[in-house]
C-alpha cells in the first residue's frame, strides 16, 4: 500500500509570512506608486497603480498625509515627501543636439531636472550638430553600458548607423524630432505645425497686402531630411489652401546649416540683394532662422516688406511678438520646457517593459501678438534676458 507523501515545503509559491501586517504592505505600495518626489498623482491614478479599491486607497492616502509621508498637491493631488530607495538606479544617456539653440537648451535643462527628480543618472553628451560627433557619442553610450539613450541629433544620413550601434548593444533609445530606425519617436507633428503657420501667413497677407505676396521664402535644415523640412511643406500647403493662386508665386528654399542664426542671416542678406523683395512671406524651420530673417530685412530698412512665421515659440520670439508692428507675425510653440518630464516618464515605461506607442507627438499651439500673453503670462518674471535682435 502506497503511503501518502508528506507535503512539500516548496509546493506553495511565495507563502505569506505569519507576522506580515497587510496594512503596512498596502501603505508601502501606495508610497511605491510615486516614481519621484515631484510626481503629483490623483486618487484614481494611485488606485489603478496599486490595484486597490478607491475607498481603501483614499483612507491610506489620507493616513499617509497625516503622518507626513505624503502631502496634498492642489485640490485632488498627492505628492510623496520621501525619496524611496529603488531596486535599480537607472543610467540614461542623453545626446543633446547642440548648446547653441534656445530650444535645445530648454529641452536639456528640463531633462536634467526631471532625471534628478526621478533618481536617474543622466550622462549628457553634446552632438554639436555634427554627424561625426554624434557617432562618437553613440559609441560612448554603448561603452558606458547605459540602460537607455535619448538622442537628439538632426543628421538623417547617420540615423541608421546609430540605430545599428544601439541595436547591437541591446540598448533601447528614444529619438527626439528626427526618426531613427528602431527608436521611439518623440517630437512634433511637423507637417501639421507648418500648415498651421502657413495658413496664418496667408490670412495675414490677404488682410494687409492689397496685391498679395510676390514671393515666398522657406528657410530649412536639409541635413535633417524630409521630416523636419515637413514644417516647410506644411507652410507652403497652408498658404496654398488659403490662397489658391499662391502656387504661381515664386518660391525660394534655402538651407540654414542646422537652423543657426548667423548662417541664416547671411543667406537672407544675399537674397535681399539679389531679389529686392517687396512683399515676401517667410516660413522658417525654427525661431532662430525666423529672427535672423527679420534682422536681415530690418537692417536693410525694408522690414515692412516681409511677414515671417517661426517655429518653437522661444522666449526671444515671444518677446518679438510683443513688439509693436513687428513682422514676426506668429510662431508655433512646442513647449520644450515640458519635454524633460515627458521624456523621463516615457523612458521609465520603456525600461519597465510597459507598452508604449512607437511615436509620441508633443502639443503645439500657434502664438500670435494677440494670444502670446495669454499662453505665456509669466514671461516677465523670468530673470534671463531674451536674445536681442
Amino acid at each position: 500500500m502506497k503511503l501518502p507523501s508528506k507535503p512539500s515545503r516548496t509546493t506553495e509559491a511565495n507563502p505569506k509570512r505569519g507576522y506580515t501586517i497587510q496594512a503596512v504592505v498596502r501603505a508601502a505600495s501606495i508610497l511605491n506608486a510615486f516614481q519621484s518626489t515631484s510626481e503629483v498623482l490623483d486618487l484614481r491614478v494611485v488606485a489603478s497603480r496599486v490595484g486597490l479599491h478607491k475607498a481603501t486607497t483614499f483612507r491610506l492616502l489620507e493616513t499617509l498625509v497625516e503622518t507626513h509621508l505624503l502631502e496634498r498637491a492642489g485640490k485632488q493631488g498627492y505628492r510623496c515627501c520621501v525619496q524611496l530607495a529603488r531596486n535599480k538606479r537607472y543610467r540614461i544617456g542623453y545626446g543633446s543636439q547642440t548648446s547653441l539653440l534656445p530650444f535645445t537648451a530648454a529641452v536639456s535643462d528640463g531633462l536634467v531636472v526631471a532625471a534628478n527628480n526621478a533618481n536617474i543618472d543622466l550622462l549628457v553628451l553634446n552632438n554639436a550638430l555634427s554627424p561625426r560627433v554624434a557617432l562618437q557619442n553613440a559609441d560612448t553610450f554603448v561603452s558606458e553600458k547605459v540602460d537607455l539613450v535619448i538622442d537628439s541629433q538632426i543628421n538623417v544620413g547617420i540615423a541608421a548607423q546609430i540605430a545599428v550601434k544601439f541595436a547591437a548593444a541591446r540598448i533601447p533609445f528614444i529619438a527626439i524630432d528626427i526618426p531613427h530606425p528602431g527608436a521611439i519617436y518623440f517630437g512634433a507633428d511637423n507637417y501639421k505645425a507648418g500648415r498651421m503657420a502657413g495658413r496664418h501667413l496667408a490670412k495675414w497677407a490677404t488682410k494687409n497686402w492689397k496685391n498679395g505676396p510676390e514671393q515666398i521664402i522657406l528657410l530649412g535644415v536639409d541635413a535633417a531630411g524630409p521630416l523636419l523640412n515637413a514644417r516647410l511643406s506644411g507652410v507652403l500647403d497652408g498658404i496654398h489652401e488659403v490662397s489658391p493662386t499662391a502656387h504661381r508665386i515664386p518660391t525660394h528654399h534655402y538651407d540654414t546649416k542646422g537652423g543657426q542664426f548667423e548662417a541664416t542671416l547671411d543667406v537672407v542678406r544675399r537674397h535681399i540683394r539679389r531679389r529686392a523683395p517687396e512683399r515676401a512671406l517667410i516660413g522658417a524651420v525654427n525661431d532662430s532662422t525666423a529672427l535672423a530673417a527679420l534682422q536681415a530685412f530690418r537692417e536693410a530698412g525694408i522690414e515692412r516688406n516681409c511677414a515671417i512665421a517661426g517655429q518653437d515659440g522661444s522666449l526671444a520670439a515671444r518677446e518679438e511678438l510683443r513688439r509693436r508692428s513687428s513682422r514676426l507675425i506668429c510662431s508655433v510653440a512646442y513647449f520644450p520646457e515640458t519635454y524633460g518630464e515627458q521624456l523621463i516618464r516615457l523612458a521609465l515605461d520603456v525600461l519597465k517593459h510597459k507598452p508604449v506607442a512607437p511615436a509620441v507627438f508633443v502639443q503645439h499651439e500657434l502664438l500670435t501678438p494677440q494670444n502670446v500673453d495669454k499662453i505665456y503670462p509669466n514671461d516677465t518674471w523670468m530673470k534671463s534676458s531674451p536674445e536681442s535682435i
Side-chain angles (χ1 to χ4, degrees):
M1 180 176 179
K2 186 177 181 181
L3 296 175
S5 59
K6 294 183 179 180
S8 170
R9 292 183 179 181
T10 61
T11 55
E12 182 182 356
N14 301 319
K16 293 183 179 179
R17 304 170 74 177
Y19 47 83
T20 299
I21 301 173
Q22 288 304 308
V24 176
V25 172
R26 288 179 173 181
S29 69
I30 295 288
L31 294 174
N32 280 310
F34 293 82
Q35 296 178 354
S36 73
T37 55
S38 66
E39 186 176 40
V40 175
L41 304 178
D42 61 21
L43 170 62
R44 178 183 57 82
V45 173
V46 176
S48 175
R49 289 189 180 183
V50 300
L52 295 174
H53 191 275
K54 285 185 179 180
T56 303
T57 305
F58 177 73
R59 290 196 297 271
L60 288 166
L61 286 168
E62 290 301 307
T63 302
L64 291 170
V65 168
E66 290 181 15
T67 55
H68 307 293
L69 296 176
L70 296 180
E71 65 181 6
R72 292 187 184 88
K75 293 182 178 180
Q76 298 179 329
Y78 296 88
R79 182 187 291 112
C80 187
C81 299
V82 293
Q83 183 69 58
L84 300 177
R86 306 293 178 179
N87 293 331
K88 177 177 176 59
R89 182 179 173 93
Y90 291 114
R91 192 167 191 232
I92 292 178
Y94 169 54
S96 170
Q97 185 182 132
T98 176
S99 60
L100 301 177
L101 299 177
F103 184 92
T104 305
V107 173
S108 299
D109 291 345
L111 193 55
V112 169
V113 171
N116 182 63
N117 289 339
N119 197 33
I120 288 173
D121 286 331
L122 191 67
L123 174 59
V124 181
L125 301 176
N126 187 355
N127 287 327
L129 297 174
S130 165
R132 177 183 59 81
V133 174
L135 287 169
Q136 290 176 347
N137 289 342
D139 288 333
T140 300
F141 289 139
V142 171
S143 65
E144 290 288 334
K145 298 181 179 179
V146 297
D147 297 301
L148 179 142
V149 172
I150 299 172
D151 207 14
S152 176
Q153 75 86 27
I154 64 169
N155 294 280
V156 69
I158 61 166
Q161 292 172 261
I162 289 176
V164 167
K165 292 177 184 292
F166 294 147
R170 296 185 178 181
I171 297 175
F173 73 112
I174 300 167
I176 302 177
D177 289 335
I178 304 299
H180 287 51
I184 298 166
Y185 173 77
F186 181 93
D189 184 335
N190 289 296
Y191 176 82
K192 183 178 180 180
R195 182 170 167 269
M196 185 185 298
R199 287 174 54 84
H200 188 76
L201 277 173
K203 290 177 181 178
W204 185 96
T206 300
K207 180 179 178 180
N208 292 276
W209 286 337
K210 181 179 179 181
N211 297 323
E214 46 85 27
Q215 61 179 265
I216 298 171
I217 303 172
L218 302 176
L219 303 171
V221 178
D222 294 350
L227 186 78
L228 194 59
N229 278 344
R231 296 180 183 181
L232 304 185
S233 301
V235 167
L236 201 56
D237 286 351
I239 293 172
H240 292 166
E241 181 180 343
V242 175
S243 303
T245 60
H247 68 276
R248 296 197 293 266
I249 301 172
T251 300
H252 309 277
H253 178 105
Y254 296 108
D255 179 44
T256 62
K257 301 187 185 303
Q260 299 185 68
F261 185 94
E262 293 298 334
T264 307
L265 187 59
D266 291 340
V267 164
V268 180
R269 282 170 174 166
R270 289 196 297 269
H271 178 89
I272 290 172
R273 290 195 296 268
R274 291 196 305 263
R275 304 288 180 177
E278 295 181 1
R279 298 179 307 281
L281 293 182
I282 303 176
V285 74
N286 62 17
D287 283 338
S288 292
T289 54
L291 294 171
L294 180 60
Q295 176 161 317
F297 274 78
R298 186 172 286 167
E299 68 184 17
I302 56 171
E303 180 180 353
R304 297 188 66 80
N305 292 12
C306 71
I308 304 172
Q311 299 273 337
D312 289 348
S314 68
L315 177 59
R318 301 195 302 266
E319 289 300 308
E320 184 60 39
L321 287 171
R322 294 183 175 100
R323 182 170 176 165
R324 187 181 298 274
S325 302
S326 173
R327 287 308 176 96
L328 178 68
I329 66 167
C330 69
S331 178
V332 179
Y334 297 85
F335 309 101
E337 62 274 14
T338 68
Y339 278 28
E341 188 173 340
Q342 295 181 68
L343 283 164
I344 290 299
R345 188 162 56 244
L346 177 61
L348 286 172
D349 284 346
V350 173
L351 291 169
K352 294 176 181 178
H353 306 290
K354 295 182 180 180
V356 297
V360 177
F361 293 106
V362 300
Q363 174 191 3
H364 44 69
E365 190 166 349
L366 187 73
L367 298 180
T368 67
Q370 291 72 39
N371 69 10
V372 63
D373 285 328
K374 181 178 179 181
I375 296 175
Y376 279 98
N378 299 327
D379 278 353
T380 55
W381 296 359
M382 299 182 69
K383 295 181 180 180
S384 58
S385 300
E387 295 173 272
S388 59
I389 298 182

